[in-house]
Amino acid sequence: MRRVIITGASGGIGAALARHYARGGALLGLIARRQAALEELAAQLSTPLQIYAVDVRDTAAMRAAAADFLTRHGCPDIVIANAGVSTGTLTEFPEDLTAFKDVLDINVVGMVQTFQPYIGAMRAAGRGALVGIASVAGYRGLPGAAAYSASKAA
């Protein structure tokens, strides 16, 4: 049975990935900020799973979720860093600085915080895949989405 961790699992691509891997009988670790949405998704899936209501910006909570999953289920086969946000930003406006920081913290640092707690176990097991969800915005940039485009290029 494959073991798959997915951040941003409460909606969109993350929920679709959870459904996809559940159909294949994978054991899932679903991470997102919204507890109720995670519970609703979990109720729809007929596969073993753990849910973690965690913000990828919270280092301690991400490490605790990883430690719990590793203790209960062992090394994951796939860790998918899917959590991400986009908001309109134009570099010329000072008030956009906070939005830039939030987008980069979630989309870039959050990805690192998703992967980091599992790397040692994957290395020791000699297997595992780290998957970061990309966007065409990282290659081409989108007007009015400078922070998102920069985060996806990262």
Side-chain angles (χ1 to χ4, degrees):
M1 174 181 300
R2 282 204 288 190
R3 291 165 284 206
V4 181
I5 303 291
I6 304 168
T7 65
S10 63
I13 293 170
L17 286 166
R19 288 184 187 96
H20 167 79
Y21 283 106
R23 280 191 299 275
L27 185 152
L28 302 176
L30 304 178
I31 301 170
R33 292 174 295 154
R34 299 178 297 149
Q35 175 82 28
L38 282 172
E39 290 172 356
E40 183 179 324
L41 175 62
Q44 299 169 15
L45 304 176
S46 58
T47 195
L49 59 85
Q50 299 292 140
I51 61 171
Y52 303 96
V54 174
D55 187 320
V56 295
R57 295 175 288 185
D58 186 336
T59 305
M62 287 296 287
R63 287 183 181 161
D68 181 72
F69 187 90
L70 289 164
T71 298
R72 290 175 188 250
H73 307 293
C75 181
D77 299 291
I78 305 169
V79 176
I80 303 172
N82 170 68
V85 296
S86 179
T87 185
T89 51
L90 296 172
T91 310
E92 66 185 290
F93 299 117
E95 57 272 17
D96 281 350
L97 184 57
T98 300
F100 263 85
K101 287 180 180 180
D102 287 342
V103 169
L104 291 172
D105 203 24
I106 293 166
N107 295 3
V108 179
V109 178
M111 184 177 292
V112 174
Q113 292 191 157
T114 296
F115 293 154
Q116 187 278 324
Y118 301 100
I119 292 173
M122 288 179 159
R123 184 172 287 133
R127 62 176 173 72
L130 304 173
V131 179
I133 300 299
S135 169
V136 69
Y139 295 99
R140 189 183 171 292
L142 299 175
Y148 179 74
S149 297
S151 74
K152 289 302 180 175

